[in-house]
Amino acid sequence: MNTVNGDVRKMVVNTADFTAWKDDHLFIGNCSFDKMVELLGREFDYDILLADPSLKQFHFTIDLPEPRNLQEVLEHICNTGEGIQFTITGRTVIISRTEGH
């Protein structure tokens, strides 16, 4: 509902965006990488930094049933073949490009 003019419209949405949490799924749909790391940082209580600004251009969808920790999520992202790597020091994560990408 548009709160300014009161218009109501019906939209098609991916319900996983709104219900995955109740099934202990981590679902983030077609999200820019910089927004995704912001969400993951909040979810797992880490500071996540992108070492390479070109990483912001990537878009990912993640649907992981019951991820144990942030490292599991990041390993899933690194396995996409996009040349992404990460290091964790304390509560800080630095995400960078691998050599040759």
Side-chain angles (χ1 to χ4, degrees), residues 25-93:
H25 274 70
L26 174 65
F27 181 85
I28 303 172
N30 192 25
C31 187
S32 65
F33 200 41
D34 58 333
K35 181 66 174 172
M36 182 178 289
V37 297
E38 180 184 323
L39 294 169
L40 291 172
R42 267 190 267 144
E43 177 72 22
F44 292 98
D45 192 28
Y46 278 82
D47 292 319
I48 304 176
L49 309 171
L50 296 178
D52 184 337
S54 72
L55 291 170
K56 293 179 182 182
Q57 71 182 348
F58 292 109
H59 281 73
F60 289 97
T61 294
I62 290 183
D63 185 7
L64 288 174
E66 303 179 26
R68 293 181 306 269
N69 53 42
L70 179 60
Q71 184 170 350
E72 180 181 344
V73 177
L74 294 174
E75 287 171 356
H76 180 75
I77 292 169
C78 289
N79 289 334
T80 62
E82 296 293 341
I84 297 171
Q85 63 186 5
F86 67 94
T87 57
I88 299 175
T89 306
R91 307 279 325 152
T92 301
V93 177

